[in-house]
Amino acid sequence: MDFRLGNMTLIPLAFLMSVMLKNCIGQGYEPSCPVTETPDQTTEICFCIPESGEIFKWDIDCNFRGYGPNMPNFLQTDDVIGKLDFRYNSINHIQSYAFRNIPGLRELNLAEQHPVGNVSTLTVAPGAFHGLINLESLTLIRNRIENTTQVINPSTVDGLKNLKELYFFDNEIKKIGALAFAGLVNLEVLNLNYNYIASIHVNAFVGLNRLKKLFLTRNKLTRVDPGVFSSVTTLRQLFLNENQITEVAPKAFNGLRNLTDLRLNKNKLQSLDNMVIVGLDKREVFLHIGRNPLHCDCELKWLRSLEITPSGSCGTPKELRGESVVSFPTEDCGRVTAESSCIDDCPSNSGNKNDAFICALFSLAIAIAVPL
C-alpha cells in the first residue's frame, strides 16, 4: 500500500525497514542489534537503527541510558556502526582504545556527561580515540574534561587523522598549547566557543592544513598576537567575537588570504590599526567590528578602503556616537588613507633600511603637501 501526495509517493517506514532487512537476509546475513547489554536491569537497551546501502551499518542511540563510570566495551561486532549517540550518560573516564572494536564509526557524540558521586570531571586517557580511523565528527561539548581544563594538548584527540569536525565548546578550557591539534590534518571545522581561553600558543594551530572555520566566540582573549593564525592559510571564517579584546596587533592575520569572514564584534576595541588587514584580501573580507567602543577619528579612515563595508559604529567622541565607522565626517583628515600610506608597498620586510626610510619620507611629503 502506498499513499500519494501530488507526484510524490510516501511509503510507510515499516515497509522500508522490512525491505532493508530482507535484502540483508537474502545475502545470507540476518542483522541483529550489536548492543545487548545495559548498565542495570532497569535501564532501557540502546536503540539501534539499521541503514542499508553499499555496506549495511547501524546508527546507535544510547543517550540517557545511565552508563558509567567508564566507557563500556559492549560494542563488539563485525557490523559497521555509522553513528554512536552517547549523550547524557554518567561517564567519568574514557580509557585508552575505548572504541577499538568499532573502527568504522564516522560520528561520535559524547556531549554532556554527568558523572556520579564526587567526581566532577571527565578524564580522557591518551589514545582514547585510537583506532577510529574513519571518524569524521566528534562532539565533546559541555564536559569538564580533566586534561583539557587547563590546556588542550595533542594526546586529547590523538589518532583522528580523518576527523573533519570537532566540537569542543563549553569545557572550561583555559589555554591552547603548542601543536594541540597537529594530528588532525583533515579537520575543517573547530569549535571552541564558550570556554575560558585566555592564552593561545603561537604554534597552537600548526598542522591544520584544511581548516575552514575556527570558532573562538565568548572566551577570555584580551589581545590578538601576530603569528597565531598564520599557519591556517585555508581559513575562511574566524570568530573572535564576544571576548575581551582591547588590541589587535599589526599583521595579526597576515597570510590568511582566503579569509572572507572576520568577526571581532562585541569586544573592547577602541582603535584598530590599519596594518591589521595586511595579508588579507581587501576585496573579499567582511570585517565585523560592531558593539565595540571605537573612537572615530582619522585613524579609522582606512576602513573606507575595504571593498565590503565593515559593520560597526562609533562609541566616541560623544557627538559621533552611533555614526557608522565608514561615514563619520573626515574633512580634517587630509588624503592620507590606507591606500596612500604605503601599507602594501613599503619594503618594511625587505631588510633594506634605506628603501624603508625613503618610503617613509615619501609618505610624509604627501601628508605635508595635502592642503588641510
Side-chain angles (χ1 to χ4, degrees):
M1 177 183 295
D2 62 27
F3 300 89
R4 296 185 182 276
L5 180 61
N7 293 324
M8 298 177 61
T9 300
L10 303 178
I11 304 174
L13 179 61
F15 177 72
L16 279 175
M17 298 285 286
S18 66
V19 170
M20 290 190 293
L21 294 176
K22 184 177 180 180
N23 288 338
C24 292
I25 294 171
Q27 296 172 9
Y29 169 66
E30 184 172 356
S32 60
C33 181
V35 182
T36 58
E37 297 181 14
T38 60
D40 54 59
Q41 297 298 320
T42 63
T43 303
E44 182 183 358
I45 198 168
C46 297
F47 184 58
C48 297
I49 307 168
E51 290 190 9
S52 64
E54 294 182 6
I55 300 175
F56 185 87
K57 65 180 180 180
W58 294 98
D59 287 350
I60 300 180
D61 182 352
C62 289
N63 68 75
F64 280 115
R65 294 304 196 278
Y67 285 103
N70 295 322
M71 194 70 199
N73 282 321
F74 57 76
L75 295 169
Q76 299 186 20
T77 175
D78 293 329
D79 293 340
V80 174
I81 297 177
K83 181 190 299 183
L84 177 58
D85 186 348
F86 220 83
R87 293 171 294 164
Y88 312 117
N89 281 284
S90 301
I91 302 298
N92 291 349
H93 178 68
I94 302 177
Q95 62 274 24
S96 298
Y97 297 93
F99 306 95
R100 64 182 179 275
N101 296 318
I102 46 175
L105 190 65
R106 285 179 168 78
E107 184 175 338
L108 176 59
N109 193 333
L110 293 166
E112 299 198 51
Q113 300 301 314
H114 299 285
V116 296
N118 296 323
V119 180
S120 60
T121 60
L122 169 67
T123 60
V124 179
F129 303 108
H130 273 194
L132 293 177
I133 57 176
N134 294 297
L135 195 69
E136 296 180 354
S137 177
L138 174 60
T139 301
L140 288 163
I141 68 173
R142 298 190 180 97
N143 292 304
R144 291 184 59 196
I145 301 177
E146 187 173 80
N147 51 343
T148 63
T149 300
Q150 294 299 322
V151 58
I152 292 183
N153 56 63
S155 68
T156 309
V157 289
D158 191 26
L160 300 176
K161 63 180 181 179
N162 286 311
L163 195 69
K164 294 182 179 179
E165 300 176 358
L166 176 58
Y167 300 95
F168 228 140
F169 63 86
D170 202 0
N171 274 296
E172 301 187 15
I173 300 164
K174 295 180 174 64
K175 300 178 182 179
I176 305 178
L179 307 176
F181 309 100
L184 307 182
V185 294
N186 288 299
L187 196 69
E188 296 179 0
V189 179
L190 176 57
N191 193 319
L192 294 163
N193 289 347
Y194 294 84
N195 281 291
Y196 299 151
I197 299 169
S199 174
I200 302 176
H201 193 279
V202 69
N203 293 324
F205 303 116
V206 169
L208 297 178
N209 301 324
R210 296 189 177 183
L211 194 67
K212 293 180 174 63
K213 298 180 181 181
L214 176 56
F215 297 85
L216 286 160
T217 298
R218 198 171 288 190
N219 277 282
K220 302 293 184 182
L221 297 171
T222 58
R223 58 175 283 118
V224 182
D225 293 315
V228 172
F229 304 108
S230 61
S231 62
V232 282
T233 57
T234 56
L235 204 61
R236 297 188 64 82
Q237 293 181 286
L238 177 56
F239 295 79
L240 294 166
N241 50 307
E242 298 187 56
N243 277 272
Q244 300 170 18
I245 298 171
T246 59
E247 181 182 0
V248 180
K251 301 184 180 181
F253 308 110
N254 192 20
L256 303 185
R257 297 294 298 179
N258 294 297
L259 197 67
T260 59
D261 191 357
L262 175 56
R263 306 207 178 198
L264 289 163
N265 46 304
K266 294 186 180 180
N267 278 288
K268 297 182 178 181
L269 292 168
Q270 295 184 12
S271 63
L272 204 59
D273 193 280
N274 56 12
M275 298 292 282
V276 163
I277 61 169
V278 170
L280 301 180
D281 188 341
K282 293 191 292 183
R283 299 167 300 177
E284 298 291 337
V285 67
F286 185 10
L287 181 60
H288 302 257
I289 51 176
R291 304 286 292 275
N292 279 287
L294 290 165
H295 182 72
C296 288
D297 58 12
C298 297
E299 298 297 323
L300 287 185
K301 187 177 179 181
W302 68 269
L303 291 171
R304 303 177 190 206
S305 68
L306 298 175
E307 291 287 334
I308 302 176
T309 303
S311 67
S313 58
C314 304
T316 58
K318 184 177 180 180
E319 61 271 18
L320 294 179
R321 187 173 299 162
E323 289 273 355
S324 169
V325 291
V326 294
S327 64
F328 66 89
T330 57
E331 290 83 0
D332 297 331
C333 292
R335 298 177 186 173
V336 181
T337 66
E339 293 183 339
S340 64
S341 60
C342 290
I343 283 182
D344 299 316
D345 301 322
C346 276
S348 57
N349 296 321
S350 66
N352 191 325
K353 295 182 179 179
N354 290 332
D355 289 346
F357 180 69
I358 291 171
C359 185
L361 285 178
F362 179 71
S363 296
L364 180 61
I366 292 175
I368 294 173
V370 172
L372 297 178

